[in-house]
Amino acid sequence: MDKLKSDILNTARTLFTKYGLRSVSIDDVCKQLRISKKTFYLYFKQKEELIEQVVINIHEQSKNKSIDCWDKEKNKNIIDLLMNSDKGIKDSADEEKKNFTLYYDLEKYYPQIFEEELERGQKERIEIMTKIIKRGIAEKLFRSDVNIDLMSQYISLQFKTMMTIRRNKKKIAHQQLFDLLRDIVVRVLANEKGMEYYLTNYYNKKAI
């Protein structure tokens, strides 16, 4: 990506996150970078396009982190990875908190961009869940008779529902919801060997 375009996106993201989408103008972004509006328009036709690209950029960075999390550790089995993903949970919670103002304004003032982002998030969760299920089957810890496509979609929808619950009931912690979701995922997918491993190493040692 062109360095100046990257600088515009990063600066806009910082301002949007801090002050909200409606409070930040193209002039504010240009002033921060000390560039002219003419230069800005070489990269973005209007503010809405800038917002859309900022949101896509945030999503891609988050997606790459999530995929790396499941791909990089080959020395752990899939149940170990699921049950030791607390850092990913904390990072996700921190990212949600950091971008709260941006996404609140996005849903309120730019509903089409917001809906497109929800669709991207859903596709990403399905992609990651598909990787998880296939790995669990390959390791002979998950059932081999499962419909991978349908199950990936089902679990990703459960994740989306839980996040909605959390937004509506602020006292429910990210960790609490993820612990419940992980328990559900393992119980739905694990075969006899996987269930025995899970109960012995995790469930009997921690209340879900």
Side-chain angles (χ1 to χ4, degrees), residues 56 59-60 62-64 66-67 70 114-132 148-149 151-160:
I56 290 173
H59 176 87
E60 288 301 316
S62 174
K63 178 181 178 180
N64 291 336
S66 296
I67 291 176
W70 297 107
F114 182 74
E115 287 300 320
E116 289 170 355
E117 173 57 17
L118 289 182
E119 288 181 15
R120 279 190 292 270
Q122 180 69 354
K123 287 179 181 178
E124 177 191 337
R125 286 190 293 272
I126 291 172
E127 180 183 342
I128 292 171
M129 201 63 234
T130 298
K131 283 177 173 284
I132 291 171
I148 296 174
D149 290 338
M151 189 59 74
S152 297
Q153 292 183 54
Y154 171 76
I155 293 172
S156 65
L157 282 172
Q158 294 307 307
F159 178 90
K160 181 180 178 181

Side-chain angles (χ1 to χ4, degrees), residues 3-207:
K3 184 180 184 305
L4 182 53
K5 183 176 183 179
S6 178
D7 289 343
I8 292 171
L9 288 171
N10 290 332
T11 299
R13 176 181 179 178
T14 299
L15 293 174
F16 289 153
T17 300
K18 186 173 183 179
Y19 300 110
L21 299 179
R22 293 284 287 242
S23 300
V24 177
S25 66
I26 291 174
D27 285 328
D28 293 325
V29 176
C30 292
K31 182 178 179 181
Q32 190 79 12
L33 287 167
R34 297 181 181 178
I35 62 173
S36 67
K37 289 178 76 173
K38 183 178 179 181
T39 300
F40 174 90
Y41 286 123
L42 291 174
Y43 295 94
F44 303 98
K45 295 177 182 178
Q46 55 188 353
K47 182 180 175 181
E48 187 169 331
E49 183 181 347
L50 172 64
I51 292 170
E52 182 177 24
Q53 288 300 311
V54 167
V55 171
I56 290 173
N57 199 35
I58 292 173
H59 176 87
E60 288 301 316
Q61 290 176 9
S62 174
K63 178 181 178 180
N64 291 336
K65 286 181 182 178
S66 296
I67 291 176
D68 285 347
C69 175
W70 297 107
D71 284 345
K72 68 182 179 180
E73 295 197 64
K74 303 297 183 182
N75 60 325
K76 294 181 181 178
N77 67 46
I78 197 61
I79 293 177
D80 288 335
L81 282 174
L82 280 168
M83 301 310 296
N84 290 283
S85 56
D86 288 30
K87 184 181 183 303
I89 293 170
K90 182 181 182 303
D91 289 347
S92 176
D94 290 345
E95 192 70 14
E96 180 183 305
K97 184 176 180 181
K98 178 182 175 182
N99 294 316
F100 176 81
T101 299
L102 189 157
Y103 284 105
Y104 178 84
D105 281 0
L106 193 68
E107 182 177 13
K108 189 173 182 180
Y109 301 115
Y110 300 91
Q112 183 176 345
I113 297 176
F114 182 74
E115 287 300 320
E116 289 170 355
E117 173 57 17
L118 289 182
E119 288 181 15
R120 279 190 292 270
Q122 180 69 354
K123 287 179 181 178
E124 177 191 337
R125 286 190 293 272
I126 291 172
E127 180 183 342
I128 292 171
M129 201 63 234
T130 298
K131 283 177 173 284
I132 291 171
I133 295 173
K134 286 183 176 180
R135 180 166 174 171
I137 292 172
E139 293 173 351
K140 302 187 184 307
L141 294 171
F142 286 175
R143 294 161 38 212
S144 60
D145 63 341
V146 90
N147 185 314
I148 296 174
D149 290 338
L150 284 178
M151 189 59 74
S152 297
Q153 292 183 54
Y154 171 76
I155 293 172
S156 65
L157 282 172
Q158 294 307 307
F159 178 90
K160 181 180 178 181
T161 300
M162 287 189 171
M163 291 302 98
T164 301
I165 291 172
R166 182 178 181 274
R167 282 196 295 269
N168 294 336
K169 296 185 178 182
K170 305 295 184 182
K171 292 183 180 179
I172 300 178
H174 235 82
Q175 186 71 49
Q176 185 179 355
L177 284 174
F178 270 94
D179 284 346
L180 177 59
L181 184 61
R182 288 186 295 196
D183 183 56
I184 292 170
V185 167
V186 174
R187 289 180 182 277
V188 168
L189 293 173
N191 57 22
E192 187 176 345
K193 177 183 175 183
M195 200 65 204
E196 182 181 356
Y197 185 87
Y198 171 61
L199 292 175
T200 302
N201 292 280
Y202 295 102
Y203 186 77
N204 291 334
K205 297 180 180 180
K206 179 178 180 180

